[in-house]
Amino acid sequence: MRLKKGYCRLCWQQASQDAKGEVTVLQPYLEKVRYHQLFLINLRRPRRPGPPIGRNGRRRGRPQTPDPAPVPPPASGWRQPPLFEAHRDFTRFDRRKHARLDNPWLAWARHVAHRLGEAHGWPRRVRLDVDRALVIVLSGHIAGEVLRYSELFPALRSRGLSVERTAEVLDHVGIFHDDRPSSFDQWLERKLDGLAAGIRRDVETWARLLHDGGPRSHPRDVHTVWGYLNRIRPVLLEWSNRYDHLREVARDDILSHLSTVHGSQRKHTLVALRSLFTRAKKNGTIFKNPTSRIRVGQQEHGVIQPLDPRHVQSAVTVVARPADRLILALAAVHAARPKAIRRLQLDNLDIGNRRLVIDGRVRPLDELTLQLALAWLDYRRKRWPDTANPHLLINKHTALETGSISGVSVSAALRGQTATLERLRVDRQLEEALAHGPDPLHLAEVFGLAEKTAIRYADSARALLEQAAEHSASPSGKELGPD
């Protein structure tokens, strides 16, 4: 007997009948149920196969929504500029009173939504939701108006409609403005809090130039900007207690702080400070760069250690979904980086010839990866049969578009594990060096490693092999060998 919160279906039916017209919380009435109105068998006619039958004897199937007729874009002529911008409230929309299905902008947006839905493989539910949302926001639209994200979100989210897909259609039409503050701006505002005004101004200019680029510089990866500012923020807060501007920071201040950090932390801190003061010197806000002629020094790398087999087995046990198992195999068998896994497309998987292309390098497809890939493709075909996303790995969000999954989605299954994707990738490359000998050329050819990286793996493998040889020596210290 199936139970819901400890009560059977008859209890729920009786409690609902007792509380009808009074309250919506049935828990008190469930506790008072002492009798049931029993259901007698064979009083209901068996349902015929197929769609249900209506009153007039016809089959009632799912209503088919006709495709919108192709319409041209609305003609744009002269218009009266608005005197001021007014915030519109779509939460009060009533379809019976406010719907204007003959609006040319609504007709054009419906046609665009139909084309996008076919191109991206939107399911029927998403198409109907987008159509309802377009009726809400475009029934009274006139030429020249721009719809903002802050106006769409409260009205569509309260009705359970897709804000992202609706915004995508409006963006293609050319009448959408995303007024949400960027996550980078919010993060930068938090990191600049507590800095002196003069220091804050230079640091903000430097961070935005790294993120957005400039006339003579390319934009850097956002993770680089995060790492730079997170590394030097403690010393910037310390200087803000004594100084009002970066021009007051002297060389001794730099050396004093570098003496408190060592190894890779010293290197990364000096690189970030040098970038900051170099930009401030070019902008003319400081007179002299205090980080000049301070050597970073050669960083000593330790021996890369292999993963414990127990940690690898724990990672294998954790993953259960087909996509996560394939991601694990790509990292542990083919040493693929998370970014390369995200970029993989269906064309990169050649099942017939048993080949896999990762970052432009052709690799043979082993039996384990082949079976996991087939299992994932079968799940993908059943779960999202109409998706047009060309990437190999997709989820419920990217199945409706053509972009790749996020880095969080790739590494989510192994979060908290010792054997992360990066550790598995490193362990696979080290295992190759141990199995085929510490040859940097072989590692560079197999995995496409840079020269210094391949040499580091070869040195680590050589050190591990020497340690293994020492442990296999005799107790007297002499190696075991032939007579």
Side-chain angles (χ1 to χ4, degrees), residues 431-447:
E431 188 270 339
E432 184 73 18
L434 292 173
H436 292 80
D439 185 4
L441 294 179
H442 175 75
L443 296 176
E445 178 65 25
V446 173
F447 301 109

Side-chain angles (χ1 to χ4, degrees), residues 31-224:
E31 299 173 356
K32 299 178 182 179
V33 171
R34 294 294 181 269
Y35 60 91
H36 302 289
Q37 176 63 51
L38 299 179
F39 295 143
L40 301 181
I41 194 171
N42 294 331
L43 291 183
R44 299 181 61 184
R45 290 178 298 177
R47 182 178 175 180
R48 298 181 182 180
I53 300 177
R55 293 182 179 179
N56 55 2
R58 297 181 180 179
R59 294 286 184 179
R60 291 188 292 109
R62 175 178 292 181
Q64 298 295 330
T65 304
D67 296 339
V71 294
S76 58
W78 180 90
R79 60 183 177 85
Q80 175 68 39
L83 295 178
F84 55 88
E85 296 291 340
H87 185 82
R88 285 156 294 190
D89 185 8
F90 293 110
T91 58
R92 301 183 179 182
F93 180 84
D94 188 347
R95 188 181 182 96
R96 292 173 296 180
K97 299 179 182 179
H98 306 138
R100 300 292 183 270
L101 302 182
D102 57 347
N103 189 301
W105 288 96
L106 175 58
W108 167 241
R110 279 179 154 181
H111 176 60
V112 172
H114 176 68
R115 292 190 305 174
L116 282 177
E118 286 187 336
H120 293 172
W122 291 353
R124 181 177 181 273
R125 176 186 58 82
V126 175
R127 298 188 186 189
L128 293 178
D129 286 350
V130 171
D131 187 77
R132 289 178 55 198
L134 293 176
V135 173
I136 294 173
V137 300
L138 293 179
S139 288
H141 188 80
I142 60 176
E145 289 184 343
V146 176
L147 298 175
R148 301 175 182 84
Y149 186 91
S150 58
E151 299 171 342
L152 302 179
F153 185 83
L156 303 186
R157 182 54 60 91
S158 62
R159 292 175 169 86
L161 303 178
S162 176
V163 184
E164 291 75 14
R165 303 285 80 80
T166 306
E168 184 179 357
V169 174
L170 296 176
D171 187 51
H172 276 76
V173 175
I175 56 175
F176 176 71
H177 172 62
D178 192 352
D179 57 350
R180 291 175 295 176
S182 66
S183 59
F184 177 79
D185 292 338
Q186 296 176 350
W187 171 84
L188 183 59
E189 187 66 25
R190 294 194 303 268
K191 294 302 178 180
L192 297 177
D193 186 27
L195 301 183
I199 298 178
R200 176 191 177 104
R201 185 167 50 253
D202 286 342
V203 173
E204 182 177 4
T205 303
W206 164 70
R208 292 191 181 279
L209 184 65
L210 288 178
H211 182 263
D212 302 331
R216 296 185 178 182
S217 60
H218 295 286
R220 307 291 293 273
D221 189 85
V222 66
H223 294 85
T224 302

Side-chain angles (χ1 to χ4, degrees), residues 80-377:
Q80 175 68 39
L83 295 178
F84 55 88
E85 296 291 340
H87 185 82
R88 285 156 294 190
D89 185 8
F90 293 110
T91 58
R92 301 183 179 182
F93 180 84
D94 188 347
R95 188 181 182 96
R96 292 173 296 180
K97 299 179 182 179
H98 306 138
R100 300 292 183 270
L101 302 182
D102 57 347
N103 189 301
W105 288 96
L106 175 58
W108 167 241
R110 279 179 154 181
H111 176 60
V112 172
H114 176 68
R115 292 190 305 174
L116 282 177
E118 286 187 336
H120 293 172
W122 291 353
R124 181 177 181 273
R125 176 186 58 82
V126 175
R127 298 188 186 189
L128 293 178
D129 286 350
V130 171
D131 187 77
R132 289 178 55 198
L134 293 176
V135 173
I136 294 173
V137 300
L138 293 179
S139 288
H141 188 80
I142 60 176
E145 289 184 343
V146 176
L147 298 175
R148 301 175 182 84
Y149 186 91
S150 58
E151 299 171 342
L152 302 179
F153 185 83
L156 303 186
R157 182 54 60 91
S158 62
R159 292 175 169 86
L161 303 178
S162 176
V163 184
E164 291 75 14
R165 303 285 80 80
T166 306
E168 184 179 357
V169 174
L170 296 176
D171 187 51
H172 276 76
V173 175
I175 56 175
F176 176 71
H177 172 62
D178 192 352
D179 57 350
R180 291 175 295 176
S182 66
S183 59
F184 177 79
D185 292 338
Q186 296 176 350
W187 171 84
L188 183 59
E189 187 66 25
R190 294 194 303 268
K191 294 302 178 180
L192 297 177
D193 186 27
L195 301 183
I199 298 178
R200 176 191 177 104
R201 185 167 50 253
D202 286 342
V203 173
E204 182 177 4
T205 303
W206 164 70
R208 292 191 181 279
L209 184 65
L210 288 178
H211 182 263
D212 302 331
R216 296 185 178 182
S217 60
H218 295 286
R220 307 291 293 273
D221 189 85
V222 66
H223 294 85
T224 302
V225 187
W226 293 345
Y228 277 10
L229 191 49
N230 288 331
R231 178 65 62 184
I232 65 176
R233 187 173 185 270
V235 69
L236 293 176
L237 291 174
E238 179 186 347
W239 291 341
S240 297
N241 297 328
R242 294 180 290 164
Y243 307 132
D244 296 328
H245 202 279
L246 285 181
R247 68 171 64 97
E248 303 177 55
V249 179
R251 180 185 178 89
D252 292 339
D253 297 320
I254 304 292
L255 295 176
S256 176
H257 177 70
L258 292 178
S259 63
T260 61
V261 291
H262 306 280
S264 61
Q265 295 185 2
R266 181 183 186 278
K267 173 185 176 182
H268 296 156
T269 302
L270 181 56
V271 169
L273 288 174
R274 180 177 294 175
S275 175
L276 171 61
F277 283 99
T278 301
R279 175 51 52 185
K281 182 70 166 53
K282 288 183 179 181
N283 294 339
T285 56
I286 63 175
F287 303 111
K288 185 178 181 181
N289 187 349
T291 62
S292 60
R293 295 186 298 278
I294 299 180
R295 298 180 59 84
V296 176
Q298 186 68 28
Q299 182 179 356
E300 295 294 336
H301 296 286
V303 178
I304 302 175
Q305 298 295 328
L307 276 173
D308 193 315
R310 295 175 300 175
H311 297 155
V312 179
Q313 183 61 35
S314 176
V316 174
T317 306
V318 166
V319 294
R321 300 184 304 173
D324 295 334
R325 298 182 67 85
L326 178 58
I327 291 173
L328 178 65
L330 292 174
V333 178
H334 300 275
R337 296 180 180 272
K339 184 178 293 186
I341 296 176
R342 293 168 51 196
R343 290 197 299 257
L344 280 175
Q345 299 196 358
L346 294 172
D347 295 341
N348 299 135
L349 183 63
D350 188 355
I351 296 178
N353 296 319
R354 302 191 66 155
R355 294 184 305 178
L356 179 65
V357 181
I358 303 177
D359 277 347
R361 303 186 68 85
V362 180
R363 296 185 56 82
L365 195 59
D366 58 287
E367 185 64 26
L368 173 62
T369 309
L370 175 63
Q371 296 303 323
L372 294 177
L374 291 175
W376 160 246
L377 291 176

Side-chain angles (χ1 to χ4, degrees), residues 456-468:
R456 183 187 175 192
Y457 277 102
D459 292 341
S460 297
R462 189 177 296 107
L464 292 175
L465 292 175
E466 291 175 356
Q467 293 176 6

